[in-house]
Amino acid sequence: MKNLITTRLNVDLNNKSQIYLGKWCLSQYSLQTIEKNNSNILEYHWNSKTKFIEDSKYILKLYESYVVKIAKALNKYHKINEDIKYWETLIGEWFLNFTSVLYDRWELINSDVINKYNIQMIDDLQLDVPEAPNESHNNYNSDLWNQYVFDRIIQFRNVNSTTRVSIKNLNNAFEPKYIKSQNLRSIVFNNFNKNSELFIFRSNFGLLNELLISLKKNKRASIALLPKFKINSNDNINTSNRNLKLNLVSGDNFEKFLSQMIDLFIPKSFIEDYEEINSFVEINMPGYSKNVVTSNAHIDHIPFIFWLARNRKNINNFVVLQNGGSIGSALVQCQEYLDQKISDSYITWGWEGDKGKNIRSLGASKIIKLKKKFKYKSANKKDILIVTTNGPRYHYTSISQSHGPQFIDEINKIVKLCQSLNEDIKKNLILRLNPKDFGWEINKKIKTILPELRIDNNKDFYKSIVDRKLLIFNYNGTSFLEALSLNIPLLLVLDQNIWHIRDSEKKYFKLLSDVGILHTSQTSIRNFIEKNSKNIEIWWKHELLQKNIKIFCDRFIKYDKDLIKKII
């Protein structure tokens, strides 16, 4: 019987008895080595488009039923009586992602795996309980955290065919760094000691515009610095000594397992540190605002999240500005789902939602300042810049995009595209990688195969893209939309098995396909580049192409110079 290795720990490629649960196990190796060992790596279950979509529906349904149970349990634990909106504002983002992550790991250790392999487990592995949702998110890419979760699933399923290895004998673990200090852009234009008409924070309009908006709505604006926030948490709470029992009523086996993991991994922010954080907010942010506008502070800024939840009943209009390029077009988009649930008004970048919902299709905030600052000039440009996406080695959120091992598959496709192009084009290629590597060691992998390929290290993404003849994107995201709005010649290649577009938006993406911008295979995009590389400017200026771009951008990244006036 083959031995199944579930994480990067204890991988030995010379041991012919080893089988690997996913490509994350070999993330420290070259692309050639991963491809050579492909027959020993199990197929990722969400390579099936149908399964991913159906599982996403199940996860959302489970979230809806369980968030109510958790709200009741937390009210009982803290001896309070807050409503579901309070708790969903506080824990919704963490819990939906946690549920999705746990379900992914649960499905990886399925009955076929259990019956076919001897599974390696780690003795005496214990983990610290996360302080905040950000630390949970960080943990989802940790080999030790995932090893622990896989081991707990194996125990829960009563698997007999296992081999135990001492933690002392292990190496190769990738552990992402986590900064505990929560000093997330502390400049605010609000006096929290008093109530106000408006609080706008992390809106993507820029600090100057936030100041001007605050002056207009509040008649005056205070420039303040929130105190640096650091939780004085008990660092000794871990999975072996946390005795939390929320007693969540569960149904099937996965729900029972999920309930156990919630008791272990619900962040201390919502349990042990809850009173301390509330005290910080009460002392430093006692006032409230009738109108609150943000793009992303409600996702990761702990003081803001607690302040928002605490004052939710006093806030007349909580406005969330869309934050993310796939929102509105991706078939599965959990952030869009949550933002609409907790907000009073949800501002999209142009697309329209279902009637009766709180959606206002006004436009994108960030593109206003980008268009003022950056202008594309086409003369005498030769370089073709390939802009790639990347993400954690393990699944971390429910969105129609690459997940875990699919990220390295997408990089491999780009490498093969570069190799397939003729020499005249190759010499003008530049690759821009995501600055976050997530333990994939992408730069090293690329240089091993394509040592002559230039890597773009310009810290300013926008300065880099406006100075190229052509851009190539391999993902449906913000950067692609911004470049298109800036009218920079570009191509987009999307694997339809990964980047699922909702039916209502397919006609807009067809507009890009019709004029040669959107491609769904490496062969198609290679043929287009080789045929048109000397005439990119002529192609890009074609009347129909420009017309289709305008329609597409009005839908997904609409530019409205008067957007600020329309928000409130």
Side-chain angles (χ1 to χ4, degrees):
M1 184 178 280
K2 294 276 190 176
N3 296 312
L4 182 68
I5 309 300
T6 57
T7 68
R8 207 163 115 162
L9 302 172
N10 211 35
V11 168
D12 181 1
L13 293 179
N14 294 319
N15 185 341
K16 301 306 178 183
S17 72
Q18 288 190 352
I19 293 290
Y20 308 106
L21 187 60
K23 290 178 181 175
W24 52 81
C25 297
L26 306 185
S27 60
Q28 71 270 44
Y29 294 103
S30 68
L31 289 173
Q32 300 100 312
T33 300
I34 294 173
E35 194 163 356
K36 181 181 177 182
N37 287 275
N38 203 45
S39 60
N40 292 323
I41 303 171
L42 300 188
E43 179 80 4
Y44 186 50
H45 67 114
W46 279 339
N47 281 347
S48 165
K49 176 180 177 179
T50 302
K51 186 177 189 302
F52 174 76
I53 293 169
E54 290 305 311
D55 286 353
S56 298
K57 291 176 183 176
Y58 169 75
I59 290 164
L60 282 179
K61 185 177 179 181
L62 189 61
Y63 168 85
E64 287 288 354
S65 63
Y66 251 68
V67 74
V68 176
K69 297 176 185 179
I70 296 177
K72 290 179 180 177
L74 291 174
N75 273 331
K76 184 177 180 181
Y77 180 87
H78 292 296
K79 298 177 182 178
I80 55 179
N81 188 31
E82 298 290 354
D83 61 20
I84 184 63
K85 195 159 221 177
Y86 171 90
W87 286 113
E88 203 156 15
T89 300
L90 211 58
I91 69 167
E93 194 271 343
W94 168 79
F95 178 58
L96 180 52
N97 285 326
F98 184 74
T99 303
S100 182
V101 165
L102 263 286
Y103 192 69
D104 170 67
R105 310 314 190 257
W106 176 266
E107 288 292 283
L108 286 165
I109 308 294
N110 56 54
S111 56
D112 288 342
V113 167
I114 290 168
N115 295 327
K116 194 172 182 180
Y117 303 108
N118 180 68
I119 307 178
Q120 178 182 281
M121 299 175 66
I122 309 300
D123 274 336
D124 304 319
L125 180 57
Q126 298 298 334
L127 303 174
D128 290 337
V129 173
E131 285 188 356
N134 262 7
E135 188 172 4
S136 286
H137 189 275
N138 196 68
N139 288 341
Y140 300 153
N141 196 37
S142 155
D143 286 314
L144 289 174
W145 189 89
N146 282 285
Q147 183 71 55
Y148 182 89
V149 170
F150 287 136
D151 288 357
R152 289 297 298 254
I153 295 171
I154 292 162
Q155 291 171 353
F156 185 92
R157 290 184 180 273
N158 295 315
V159 178
N160 295 319
S161 300
T162 62
T163 299
R164 293 187 172 270
V165 178
S166 171
I167 188 70
K168 296 177 183 178
N169 298 328
L170 298 179
N171 52 34
N172 291 329
F174 174 77
E175 296 305 302
K177 293 180 180 179
Y178 173 69
I179 300 172
K180 292 188 176 184
S181 178
Q182 300 289 322
N183 188 25
L184 301 173
R185 208 186 94 178
S186 53
I187 298 175
V188 292
F189 304 113
N190 205 47
N191 182 354
F192 283 106
N193 292 313
K194 298 179 180 179
N195 300 335
S196 64
E197 187 67 25
L198 171 71
F199 176 38
I200 182 167
F201 180 48
R202 281 172 49 170
S203 66
N204 281 328
F205 281 123
L207 283 173
L208 178 58
N209 281 323
E210 287 182 359
L211 173 60
L212 296 174
I213 295 168
S214 298
L215 280 168
K216 183 178 179 180
K217 291 295 179 181
N218 295 329
K219 308 305 178 187
R220 60 190 179 86
S222 300
I223 301 177
L225 285 172
L226 280 177
K228 188 173 183 179
F229 176 68
K230 189 177 187 303
I231 303 171
N232 296 311
S233 187
N234 183 349
D235 291 332
N236 296 320
I237 300 174
N238 58 45
T239 50
S240 66
N241 62 25
R242 194 188 212 186
N243 297 313
L244 179 65
K245 298 289 181 186
L246 291 179
N247 297 314
L248 300 170
V249 179
S250 52
D252 62 22
N253 279 339
F254 174 68
E255 290 181 31
K256 291 173 184 175
F257 177 72
L258 175 64
S259 297
Q260 291 179 11
M261 294 298 99
I262 290 170
D263 285 343
L264 286 176
F265 288 118
I266 185 170
K268 289 184 283 185
S269 302
F270 309 133
I271 303 294
E272 292 88 354
D273 301 330
Y274 176 82
E275 289 186 10
E276 180 191 346
I277 298 171
N278 267 323
S279 240
F280 174 90
V281 170
E282 188 174 355
I283 293 168
N284 294 285
M285 307 167 72
Y288 69 86
S289 301
K290 293 179 182 178
N291 299 279
V292 178
V293 179
T294 188
S295 181
N296 52 43
H298 63 294
I299 297 172
D300 60 13
H301 195 290
I302 288 295
F304 179 86
I305 294 169
F306 271 75
W307 175 84
L308 179 65
R310 182 172 179 263
N311 291 292
R312 199 63 188 85
K313 293 174 184 176
N314 297 318
I315 296 170
N316 296 335
N317 190 21
F318 173 43
V319 180
V320 174
L321 308 172
Q322 177 181 331
N323 182 53
S326 71
I327 290 176
S329 63
L331 182 60
V332 178
Q333 231 298 347
C334 71
Q335 193 59 57
E336 174 188 334
Y337 165 82
L338 284 171
D339 287 351
Q340 289 184 35
K341 278 206 78 179
I342 68 169
S343 64
D344 297 306
S345 182
Y346 183 70
I347 309 299
T348 80
W349 290 358
W351 55 274
E352 298 171 353
D354 297 334
K355 289 183 179 179
K357 286 194 174 183
N358 57 337
I359 295 174
R360 298 167 66 199
S361 53
L362 298 182
S365 53
K366 189 177 176 183
I367 198 63
I368 297 172
K369 61 181 180 182
L370 289 180
K371 279 184 175 286
K372 288 180 180 178
K373 189 173 181 180
F374 299 101
K375 303 292 182 184
Y376 176 74
K377 296 178 181 179
S378 59
N380 301 319
K381 297 182 188 301
K382 295 181 179 180
D383 291 336
I384 298 174
L385 181 69
I386 303 173
V387 185
T388 63
T389 186
N390 193 12
R393 298 166 306 135
Y394 303 85
H395 164 77
Y396 69 102
T397 190
S398 285
I399 299 175
S400 288
Q401 63 173 27
S402 299
H403 297 276
Q406 294 171 337
F407 282 109
I408 205 65
D409 292 339
E410 292 296 279
I411 288 294
N412 212 11
K413 291 173 189 175
I414 291 297
V415 167
K416 290 179 179 179
L417 171 64
C418 293
Q419 291 174 323
S420 70
L421 292 167
N422 67 53
E423 293 302 320
D424 285 341
I425 295 174
K426 274 184 187 178
K427 66 185 180 183
N428 294 318
L429 291 179
I430 303 176
L431 184 65
R432 185 177 181 90
L433 301 171
N434 188 322
K436 294 181 181 178
D437 184 70
F438 302 102
W440 284 115
E441 302 179 28
I442 299 293
N443 200 327
K444 182 179 176 182
K445 285 176 168 61
I446 296 291
K447 281 299 182 184
T448 301
I449 300 178
L450 300 169
E452 303 302 319
L453 181 63
R454 290 174 289 163
I455 303 296
D456 177 25
N457 294 314
N458 192 332
K459 291 183 179 180
D460 192 319
F461 170 72
Y462 304 103
K463 285 183 180 178
S464 184
I465 64 173
V466 296
D467 196 34
R468 311 298 177 186
K469 172 183 177 180
L470 178 69
L471 307 177
I472 301 173
F473 290 87
N474 72 338
Y475 62 102
N476 176 26
T478 304
S479 300
F480 150 67
L481 289 177
E482 290 173 344
L484 193 63
S485 183
L486 292 171
N487 207 19
I488 303 171
L490 62 81
L491 300 174
L492 174 66
V493 57
L494 296 180
D495 185 333
Q496 293 176 306
N497 201 46
I498 294 173
W499 301 91
H500 319 134
I501 305 300
R502 59 189 72 169
D503 288 343
S504 62
E505 310 309 312
K506 286 180 179 178
K507 61 185 178 184
Y508 295 98
F509 281 80
K510 187 176 183 299
L511 292 173
L512 300 188
S513 298
D514 290 345
V515 293
I517 294 174
L518 174 60
H519 299 261
T520 57
S521 73
Q522 303 301 310
T523 301
S524 172
I525 197 169
R526 182 199 66 214
N527 291 343
F528 182 90
I529 294 168
E530 294 198 336
K531 181 180 178 181
N532 297 283
S533 62
K534 295 180 180 179
N535 301 298
I536 292 298
E537 188 175 347
I538 295 171
W539 162 70
W540 193 253
K541 289 181 177 180
H542 193 279
E543 184 179 351
L544 178 60
L545 182 144
Q546 287 296 316
K547 178 183 175 182
N548 286 7
I549 288 175
K550 176 69 167 59
I551 296 170
F552 187 90
C553 287
D554 281 348
R555 183 70 177 179
F556 298 113
I557 188 162
K558 183 179 180 181
Y559 169 72
D560 184 348
K561 64 182 188 326
D562 297 320
L563 174 64
I564 294 173
K565 300 174 184 177
K566 300 174 182 179
I567 295 296
I568 300 297

